[in-house]
Every structure is written in structure tokens, then in C-alpha cells.
Amino acid sequence: MLIQQLTIFLENQSGRLAEVTRVLANAGINIRALSIADTAEYGILRLIVNDPVSAAGILKKEGFSVGIADVIGITIDDTPGSLARVLAILEENNISIEYMYAFTGSSRAGMANVVIKVEDLRKAVDILTGAGVNVMTPDEVHQL
């Protein structure tokens, strides 16, 4: 139940993010979620797309530095405390979060989607699933 995320390193130059999105759009790749963090010299763009393998190949062909990483996607109630409950489950099981971000597009009203990266992904999936947290499949993410 792991989903694949693209990690793209971008120089901090005007138009680089636009170029990534243009390349993907021209290839018919749909962006499902996006997170970007920057430093003085470069940015780290994280994308969930409908076809990560094709997208990575297309971007590499265009000269971008791209990697694919496994992450966990979860769907939680869009109510106060829902995320805190999930994070408490991970904390109680000594699972540290490397990064996370939320995205819209849930097919179910009143729900929120969150991408989580932890060191031991399979352990986290087992723990979350056992606790009743909805861990998304790649198909669920790609169909949003």
C-alpha cells in the first residue's frame, strides 16, 4: 500500500517550476499532490502524479534530476484532532516522521489526504492499518 512520489531537485531560477509542470502537462501527466521546499540554492519538489514511472522518465529526458521514493498516503476525517490521533499512533510506536504534506482531492466529502514519509514504511503501514487508519492504495491516489 505504498505510493510512489517523485522528488525533483530544482535550481532556484525563475521559471523552473513552471517548466516542470509544462513538461508534465504536455505528456498528459496529472499532478495529484505537490510540496516544495527551498534553500538559497535549490528547491526540492515532491509530486504525486498519476503515472510516476513515465513522469520520471520524461523529466529525466528533459534534464531534470528526479528520483522516485515510496511514501504512505492516508485519508483521515477533516476534523480537528484527526491528524493528531494518527501522529500519536506513530509516536507510540517510535516511528519518526521525516516529512509530510496534505493535499486536496479526496473522493469522499469531509475527508483529508496526507502523505507521510517515515524510515520504516512497511512497519508504519501495518501499525496504521491495524489502528483503523485508511492507508491509500496507489490506485486510490491516482484516481483522485
Side-chain angles (χ1 to χ4, degrees):
M1 290 218 243
L2 301 178
I3 57 177
Q4 293 184 316
Q5 167 193 270
L6 300 180
T7 302
I8 305 156
F9 293 91
L10 297 174
E11 303 86 0
N12 274 352
Q13 293 178 328
S14 178
R16 290 297 282 169
L17 180 58
E19 187 176 352
V20 168
T21 60
R22 186 172 33 258
V23 167
L24 293 176
N26 289 341
I29 302 291
N30 198 358
I31 298 170
R32 301 300 188 196
L34 176 148
S35 171
I36 191 162
D38 68 348
T39 66
E41 298 169 11
Y42 64 92
I44 300 172
L45 174 63
R46 294 183 173 107
L47 297 174
I48 305 293
V49 299
N50 63 321
D51 188 349
V53 174
S54 294
I58 291 162
L59 290 168
K60 285 178 183 178
K61 190 174 179 180
E62 292 294 323
F64 291 96
S65 176
V66 182
I68 297 179
D70 288 333
V71 293
I72 301 168
I74 63 171
T75 301
I76 58 175
D77 291 333
D78 189 8
T79 58
S82 293
L83 182 58
R85 181 174 86 63
V86 171
L87 297 181
I89 293 166
L90 295 174
E91 179 186 24
E92 290 164 7
N93 288 278
N94 297 313
I95 296 177
S96 298
I97 295 173
E98 294 177 21
Y99 60 82
M100 63 184 276
Y101 53 97
F103 64 103
T104 60
S106 178
S107 59
R108 298 176 7 209
M111 304 300 286
N113 302 309
V114 180
V115 172
I116 302 173
K117 175 70 167 147
V118 299
E119 185 174 319
D120 192 337
L121 291 162
R122 300 211 185 277
K123 178 181 176 184
V125 166
D126 289 344
I127 289 167
L128 292 170
T129 302
V133 175
N134 181 39
V135 177
M136 302 172 78
T137 67
D139 285 341
E140 287 177 305
V141 172
H142 300 158
Q143 293 173 6
L144 290 177

